Amino acid sequence: MRLDKYISNSTDLSRSEAKRVIKHSLVAIDDRTISDPAQKVAPNQIVTIEGAAIRHVGNRYFMLNKPAGVVSVSKDKLHTTALQLIYEHRSETLQIAGRLDIDSTGLLLITDDGKWNHRLTSPRSDCAKLYSVGLATEIGADYAQKLAAGVQLEGEKHRCLPASMQQIDSHHLSLQIAEGKYHQVKRMFAALGNHVMSLHRTQIGSILLDTDLEPGDYRPLTPAEVASSQ
Ligand code: URA
């Protein structure tokens, strides 16, 4: 990793402040003063600023149980954002991996690892997502078959990929989809002539929402959870 990025990831210094301390020859790698912010740091090397070693903070990964009313964007003038619920050092460097609508709840993944985020959420990623869905009117007898055949969404050229559902009661089901189109679940049920009343995400890939997390709570992902999407 570049030295300036390494420092800004691991301290309170911004990237430009990190560049400044490097250029002022205050930074050393393994006791050798470095003045090039682009100098690479290897994982086993020790970086010091004015002689004090800094501990490298690697990429960070969290799961949040998103409550209703919170938006999945990094800045919003009106509403609380998901990132405002993450009380971590330099939380402005974090990004949301796969949005949930303001009224949707459940599993939201948050990271500062852009590549990991992209792998999980790019339109070409076929990472499965599981939702608990509550509908306004009764589940139709033909829904499972229509979802499996691929629903045609209004305004889309191609049908959705096959989805599978498991009925829970007359108005509730769990739905597994392999895409993340804009408002996908709501549009799928609109295409079937119904209306989504509640939407809660419980799984992305093999990462399950931790049932110990109250709405608004978050925790770091375990190394196994992170690796499951690498
Ligand atoms: N699909 C939707 O329609 N909304 C969400 O929040 C997530 C998936």
Side-chain angles (χ1 to χ4, degrees), residues 139 164-169 172-176:
I139 295 168
S164 62
M165 62 162 264
Q166 215 163 7
Q167 187 159 353
I168 295 162
D169 61 28
H172 294 90
L173 56 95
S174 63
L175 175 76
Q176 182 171 322

Side-chain angles (χ1 to χ4, degrees), residues 66 99-105 131 177 180-188 196 199 201:
K66 185 186 107 51
R99 294 177 175 196
L100 282 174
D101 297 335
I102 187 166
D103 53 349
S104 301
T105 57
Y131 293 89
I177 60 173
K181 292 193 168 85
Y182 182 65
H183 293 325
Q184 174 147 355
V185 177
K186 292 176 182 167
R187 289 164 70 208
M188 285 168 93
V196 171
L199 187 54
R201 186 158 63 199

Side-chain angles (χ1 to χ4, degrees), residues 20-228:
R20 208 169 313 132
V21 290
I22 298 165
K23 288 197 171 135
H24 280 83
S25 301
L26 299 175
V27 175
I29 300 179
D30 288 345
D31 291 331
R32 195 164 57 90
T33 302
I34 304 290
S35 46
D36 177 8
Q39 172 73 41
K40 293 280 190 236
V41 185
N44 56 346
Q45 289 185 305
I46 294 176
V47 177
T48 53
I49 303 178
E50 295 189 292
I54 57 175
R55 203 166 62 84
H56 178 53
V57 180
N59 281 120
R60 297 173 298 163
Y61 307 85
F62 304 99
M63 70 162 70
L64 168 73
N65 184 0
K66 185 186 107 51
V70 167
V71 289
S72 302
V73 291
S74 31
K75 283 196 183 117
D76 190 283
K77 288 205 174 102
L78 285 181
H79 305 98
T80 303
T81 69
L83 295 187
Q84 286 172 327
L85 301 179
I86 310 292
Y87 299 97
E88 296 288 330
H89 174 69
R90 296 187 61 73
S91 61
E92 70 283 1
T93 63
L94 295 169
Q95 31 180 279
I96 294 163
R99 294 177 175 196
L100 282 174
D101 297 335
I102 187 166
D103 53 349
S104 301
T105 57
L107 179 60
L108 199 60
L109 296 176
I110 290 167
T111 183
D112 55 7
D113 181 345
K115 284 189 188 148
W116 188 84
N117 182 351
H118 186 257
R119 263 197 304 280
L120 218 65
T121 59
S122 87
R124 267 174 287 139
S125 135
D126 55 0
C127 175
K129 290 133 200 128
L130 194 64
Y131 293 89
S132 300
V133 187
L135 295 175
T137 58
E138 275 196 16
I139 295 168
D142 55 352
Y143 280 16
Q145 177 264 318
K146 284 187 170 159
L147 289 165
V151 174
Q152 178 64 53
L153 299 185
E154 176 105 31
E156 296 282 343
K157 213 154 115 195
H158 304 290
R159 285 179 177 278
C160 292
L161 292 175
S164 62
M165 62 162 264
Q166 215 163 7
Q167 187 159 353
I168 295 162
D169 61 28
S170 60
H171 290 69
H172 294 90
L173 56 95
S174 63
L175 175 76
Q176 182 171 322
I177 60 173
E179 303 161 283
K181 292 193 168 85
Y182 182 65
H183 293 325
Q184 174 147 355
V185 177
K186 292 176 182 167
R187 289 164 70 208
M188 285 168 93
F189 286 100
L192 297 177
N194 211 319
H195 181 75
V196 171
M197 300 297 286
S198 62
L199 187 54
H200 181 74
R201 186 158 63 199
T202 55
Q203 190 170 350
I204 299 177
S206 47
I207 304 175
L208 288 164
L209 178 63
D210 190 329
T211 49
D212 287 341
L213 290 177
E214 297 291 334
D217 284 354
Y218 73 96
R219 70 152 169 83
L221 295 188
T222 64
E225 286 169 334
V226 174
S228 72

